[in-house]
Amino acid sequence: MAKDPFRLLVLKGLTKTIEGVNPDNGYEFDLRDRVFRGRMFYGENDPLPMVSILEPPIPLEALSTQPGNPHASSQWELLVQGFVPDDHQNPSDPAYRMMAEVKSAIVKERINHSFFGFGFRGPGSTSRNSVNNIQIGQGAVRPADEVSGRSFFWLSLLLQLTEDLSNPYS
């Protein structure tokens, strides 16, 4: 089995965190086995509710490195998109509730300094690969429209990373 690079491991950790949104953990929604990475297109037969984790098409900035140092510090933007069954009277209400639950699960990672299993090493850390901070956007909720036949939310995450560019598998 192929070894996963650091960023893919972070995405898998984020997936596990969001899948923790389920009734066993006191949440309304059940996102177990309903969180997808890098998936943009869905059909009528896909489960609801569901979440997709994507990167924006253009990265924020170049990696910051010092000459002779393989470590880089960067900000990595991720987009979390969640789809919900509609409430016919107030179509966006379920999307607001699910976005709040996803935010709550991610905030718990930040408060506990777990950072998807990578732990907090602090800004300026010379540790190999680490997640140093998570910033959570305010999010936006949209009713069904010409783009999506379901109500959905967008939530941006900004992760501060330290990476050893010479060894992405460390």
Side-chain angles (χ1 to χ4, degrees), residues 20 28 34 41 43 47 52 57 62 67 69 76 80 95 104 113 129 138 144 167:
E28 170 187 354
R34 293 182 176 206
F41 301 105
S52 181
N69 185 348
W76 186 26
V80 177
S104 173
H113 299 292
N129 295 322
Q138 69 180 13
N167 188 2

Side-chain angles (χ1 to χ4, degrees), residues 38-43 46 50 52:
R39 189 168 168 198
M40 287 183 55
F41 301 105
Y42 298 92
D46 285 308
M50 66 181 166
S52 181

Side-chain angles (χ1 to χ4, degrees), residues 4 33 57 60 75 123 130 144 149 154 156 168 170:
D4 293 331
D33 298 321
L60 286 174
Q75 293 184 341
S130 62
W154 278 107
S156 63
S170 66

Side-chain angles (χ1 to χ4, degrees), residues 8 11 15 35-42 51-55 78-79:
L8 180 53
L11 288 172
T15 299
V35 180
F36 305 95
R37 294 181 299 276
R39 189 168 168 198
M40 287 183 55
F41 301 105
Y42 298 92
V51 169
S52 181
I53 304 168
L54 302 164
E55 291 185 62
L78 298 174
L79 303 171

